[in-house]
Amino acid sequence: MGRVKRFRWIALFVMALVMSGCSYMSVKHLENNPLSFDRNEELEMRFWNFVYVNNAVNGNYQLQGTAFPRMEVIPDWGSWIHNLRISAYLSDDQGRVLASNSIVYPTTELDPDQGIPFEFSLKPERISAEKETFITFGYNMQITEDRFVDPTMDPPLTGERSVFFASEGALSR
């Protein structure tokens, strides 16, 4: 009986290792643009518009641009962005992430005219010449009406303060 239990645990462990080796990050569900070089591009996502240029520098992809909040879908009372993380992803035609990078920003005022500047360096391990490569973005953010409201430290919503959360990003598959 001891051998059977041990065999089951070993089989379960091996199966978990095999399954974890098959997982990958996917951005197939996100809007994307085909990879281009030295050309102004724009990508509209649910809460942000990304305006950017991609250049190849020493085997890396250098993505520079500005993210502009889409004010028509953000609550009117929203004035401050907290815990903003913007990510850039290179993916294959199946949405598998080939490279990614993220930037975390300090609390800042929501300014639809100035936007949020970004610069990413992405270095994929491999890119297939036969398959198209895509660029997309992800983000996490919390928006409040007051600069000094910290959504991670304040008690749950009481009706006195409002916090708007939004997120788009890669998923593990």
Side-chain angles (χ1 to χ4, degrees), residues 48 67 69 78-86 104-112 114-117 140-149 151:
W48 291 89
S79 298
W80 291 89
I81 305 172
H82 302 267
N83 306 313
L84 174 63
R85 174 187 297 265
I86 296 178
V104 177
Y105 295 86
T107 297
T108 188
E109 193 166 10
L110 189 60
D111 185 343
Q114 183 177 343
I116 304 288
N140 293 312
M141 67 177 178
Q142 298 158 348
I143 295 179
T144 65
E145 57 191 321
D146 187 333
R147 176 182 185 174
F148 299 105
V149 172

Side-chain angles (χ1 to χ4, degrees), residues 70-110:
R70 295 187 55 220
M71 298 307 290
E72 69 274 13
V73 293
I74 292 175
D76 292 340
W77 49 260
S79 298
W80 291 89
I81 305 172
H82 302 267
N83 306 313
L84 174 63
R85 174 187 297 265
I86 296 178
S87 302
Y89 303 100
L90 284 180
S91 66
D92 65 13
D93 60 345
Q94 298 298 308
R96 289 178 187 251
V97 174
L98 304 172
S100 66
N101 200 343
S102 295
I103 301 171
V104 177
Y105 295 86
T107 297
T108 188
E109 193 166 10
L110 189 60

Side-chain angles (χ1 to χ4, degrees), residues 59-71:
N60 291 338
Y61 296 97
Q62 298 295 321
L63 208 55
Q64 291 181 302
T66 305
F68 295 96
R70 295 187 55 220
M71 298 307 290

Side-chain angles (χ1 to χ4, degrees), residues 26-37:
S26 174
V27 291
K28 188 174 186 170
H29 61 287
L30 298 176
E31 296 295 324
N32 61 48
N33 280 341
L35 183 65
S36 67
F37 296 95

Side-chain angles (χ1 to χ4, degrees), residues 33-41 52-56 61 63 133 135:
N33 280 341
L35 183 65
S36 67
F37 296 95
D38 303 319
R39 200 169 78 191
N40 287 330
E41 296 284 347
Y52 65 94
V53 172
N54 178 52
N55 295 297
Y61 296 97
L63 208 55
T133 303
I135 291 178

Side-chain angles (χ1 to χ4, degrees), residues 114-159:
Q114 183 177 343
I116 304 288
F118 59 82
E119 184 173 340
F120 295 103
S121 179
L122 301 168
K123 183 172 178 108
E125 289 184 23
R126 58 180 162 68
I127 288 188
S128 172
E130 294 85 41
K131 295 182 179 180
E132 199 165 10
T133 303
F134 297 88
I135 291 178
T136 191
F137 296 92
Y139 53 86
N140 293 312
M141 67 177 178
Q142 298 158 348
I143 295 179
T144 65
E145 57 191 321
D146 187 333
R147 176 182 185 174
F148 299 105
V149 172
D150 184 348
T152 60
M153 301 300 286
D154 284 344
L157 298 179
T158 61

